[in-house]
Amino acid sequence: MNCSCQQDEVYAAENDVTPGRRILSQEALQQFVDDLRDTDYWQRNFPDVRSILAICDPRRKARGSLGRWNGDGDGEILMSPVHMYERIVLHEVTHVIACARYGSHAHDPWFARTYLELVYAIMGGDVYAELKAAFITGGVDHDTDNAVPGGIAL
């Protein structure tokens, strides 16, 4: 399988998947992201990620949303107002946590695997199954046996 950036494939796969509930305000966005830290999934897998600043930025409408790890225990997501849905926020959060734990960049298999796990932990098995099926159909590599994580020397 090709383990390079899969951005186009990931975006195409996401197009037909349930976006989840709409997050309507800046306060609700930050609270949603803060609440993720309290989940067992987060505590087990990403204890080094202390916080993620979540901002809904109307100027990002044309540029899309962005998630990034700052490398010092913190990350940030910048959300376009049109992307203020639960699963899409999880996509951007995944950029932060997959980079923090695995050195993942772009939409590599470590990103895709972490994204699936986060969706399962937060949104449940039905949305997970829907997203996983879309990844398989769309050729998104989410098999981490196919790739060495960027942040781990073997």
Side-chain angles (χ1 to χ4, degrees):
M1 290 189 155
N2 182 357
C3 294
S4 62
C5 177
Q6 310 175 99
Q7 179 173 311
D8 293 342
E9 293 86 351
V10 168
Y11 291 169
E14 289 177 312
N15 281 340
D16 295 324
V17 177
T18 304
R21 66 181 171 94
R22 183 132 173 90
I23 298 171
L24 298 175
S25 69
Q26 173 64 47
E27 294 78 21
L29 171 64
Q30 187 64 60
Q31 188 62 56
F32 176 77
V33 172
D34 289 346
D35 288 348
L36 295 175
R37 285 189 327 249
D38 295 332
T39 65
D40 290 337
Y41 172 74
W42 191 285
Q43 295 301 314
R44 276 192 315 271
N45 294 290
F46 310 103
D48 294 338
V49 180
R50 292 186 313 252
S51 69
I52 298 176
L53 177 62
I55 298 170
C56 179
D57 183 353
R59 297 170 296 174
R60 296 209 61 83
K61 188 172 184 180
R63 293 181 290 170
S65 297
L66 170 76
R68 61 181 164 221
W69 169 243
N70 296 329
D72 60 358
D74 301 308
E76 66 181 338
I77 62 170
L78 305 172
M79 300 299 299
S80 169
V82 299
H83 291 160
M84 294 284 285
Y85 288 89
E86 187 176 26
R87 186 187 44 74
I88 301 169
V89 171
L90 293 179
H91 174 119
E92 299 308 332
V93 167
T94 300
H95 282 296
V96 175
I97 63 178
C99 183
R101 181 159 185 190
Y102 304 112
S104 172
H105 296 286
H107 299 87
D108 65 10
W110 290 93
F111 166 86
R113 177 81 256 153
T114 304
Y115 183 26
L116 285 169
E117 291 173 356
L118 185 60
V119 164
Y120 182 84
I122 304 306
M123 297 182 72
D126 290 344
V127 180
Y128 163 84
E130 189 179 4
L131 183 60
K132 184 175 180 183
F135 277 7
I136 291 167
T137 300
V140 175
D141 187 358
H142 59 281
D143 183 355
T144 53
D145 290 336
N146 290 333
V148 175
I152 300 174
L154 297 179

